[in-house]
């Protein structure tokens, strides 16, 4: 069976290189933010007081009011940069899936997973940020009430693995693309990425359970 390899040629130059660099930079910033965010939110595991104390610090310093919208802008900017290489049309997606099956290369499938999770995160992440930033200040009671009411628990059970898969793969692909991860250390880097992803998913699940059982 023949496979069409026809693609639209994209110009390569300084502009493309700068856009790639900006995509990497915004991606790295969002990775660090998501890991930090997970650690801070998981402070509720030690009690509502621990999370409220951290939230009050961010409120008092203005980091919640300024940092939240700023992260939202970085989030959207990163998506716009990454969208240059994402196959949106069905025929493009068909060709990409066919290439991935034919190549049978793990890193190719990682890119496919990252592109797919990006679509989910764009919608669900935007909803999450809007809900949180329009209901400041952040408190353990508000977060617990949201988890305990309606469909939000299911919402976060979907969003959590999507984010952690996307972030973990992003961390790995940044390392490969910019030379930090090479052929000689790639196996260990993949193993570390998998451990890191599972770790944050487990922490996230424990945090959700804590919110679910928290008295509000």
């Amino acid at each position: 069976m023949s496979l069409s390899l026809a693609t639209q040629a994209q110009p390569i130059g300084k502009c493309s290189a700068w856009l790639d660099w900006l995509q990497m930079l915004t991606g790295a910033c969002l990775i660090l933010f998501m890991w930090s965010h997970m650690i801070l939110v998981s402070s509720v595991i030690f009690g509502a007081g621990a999370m409220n104390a951290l939230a009050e610090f961010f409120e008092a310093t203005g980091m919640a009011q300024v940092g939240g919208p700023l992260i939202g802008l970085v989030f959207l900017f990163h998506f716009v940069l990454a969208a240059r290489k994402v196959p949106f049309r069905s025929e493009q997606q068909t060709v990409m899936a066919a290439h991935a099956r034919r190549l049978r290369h793990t890193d190719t499938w990682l890119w496919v997973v990252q592109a797919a999770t990006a679509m989910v995160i764009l919608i669900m992440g935007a909803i999450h940020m809007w809900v949180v930033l329009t209901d400041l200040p952040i408190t353990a009671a508000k977060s617990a009430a949201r988890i305990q009411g309606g469909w939000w628990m299911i919402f976060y059970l979907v969003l959590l693995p999507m984010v952690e898969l996307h972030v973990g793969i992003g961390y790995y692909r940044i390392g490969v693309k910019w030379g930090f991860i090479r052929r000689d250390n790639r196996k260990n880097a993949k193993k570390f990425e998998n451990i890191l992803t599972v770790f944050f998913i487990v922490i996230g699940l424990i945090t959700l359970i804590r919110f679910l059982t928290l008295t509000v």
Side-chain angles (χ1 to χ4, degrees):
M1 179 181 67
S2 62
L3 183 65
S4 173
L5 300 177
T7 57
Q8 183 177 354
Q10 298 293 332
I12 299 174
K14 289 185 178 180
C15 182
S16 294
W18 276 106
L19 291 175
D20 277 352
W21 188 86
L22 284 173
Q23 181 182 337
M24 182 275 294
L25 182 62
T26 54
C29 289
L30 290 171
I31 289 170
L32 291 175
F33 168 76
M34 286 310 307
W35 286 343
S36 301
H37 174 68
M38 179 60 73
I39 292 172
L40 293 173
V41 174
S42 67
S43 62
V44 75
I45 295 172
F46 303 102
M51 179 179 172
N52 288 336
L54 287 172
E56 288 172 5
F57 168 77
F58 288 115
E59 288 287 336
T61 56
M63 293 178 67
Q65 296 88 341
V66 177
L70 183 61
I71 287 296
L73 290 175
V74 174
F75 169 76
L76 291 175
F77 185 46
H78 177 72
F79 175 79
V80 170
L81 292 171
R84 296 174 302 130
K85 302 177 181 179
V86 174
F88 288 102
R89 298 200 303 270
S90 59
E91 58 269 25
Q92 293 175 325
Q93 295 168 2
T94 300
V95 171
M96 184 62 210
H99 283 327
R101 287 193 297 269
R102 187 177 184 181
L103 290 172
R104 297 181 182 179
H105 191 269
T106 303
D107 284 13
T108 302
W109 281 111
L110 288 179
W111 184 89
V112 173
V113 171
Q114 193 177 33
T117 54
M119 300 299 103
V120 178
I121 295 170
L122 176 65
I123 299 172
M124 299 185 74
I127 292 172
H128 168 72
M129 285 189 288
W130 176 263
V131 169
V132 171
L133 294 177
T134 56
D135 192 27
L136 294 175
I138 298 170
T139 66
K142 286 182 182 179
S143 298
R146 189 163 61 249
I147 296 299
Q148 294 173 20
W151 52 277
W152 285 103
M153 183 65 176
I154 298 175
F155 179 91
Y156 288 115
L157 283 175
V158 174
L159 181 59
L160 172 65
M162 294 294 102
V163 169
E164 297 308 331
L165 279 172
H166 189 85
V167 166
I169 295 171
Y171 152 79
Y172 169 78
R173 294 188 69 242
I174 287 174
V176 171
K177 185 168 185 176
W178 296 92
F180 304 110
I181 297 175
R182 302 173 301 277
R183 186 182 297 274
D184 59 336
N185 64 353
R186 183 169 295 193
K187 183 177 180 181
N188 288 334
K190 282 184 177 179
K191 183 178 179 180
F192 180 70
E193 175 226 327
N194 292 334
I195 292 173
L196 209 57
T197 299
V198 171
F199 171 77
F200 279 109
I201 289 177
V202 170
I203 291 296
L205 290 174
I206 294 173
T207 301
L208 288 174
I209 293 171
R210 184 70 180 95
F211 278 130
L212 195 62
T213 59
L214 195 67
T215 302
V216 296

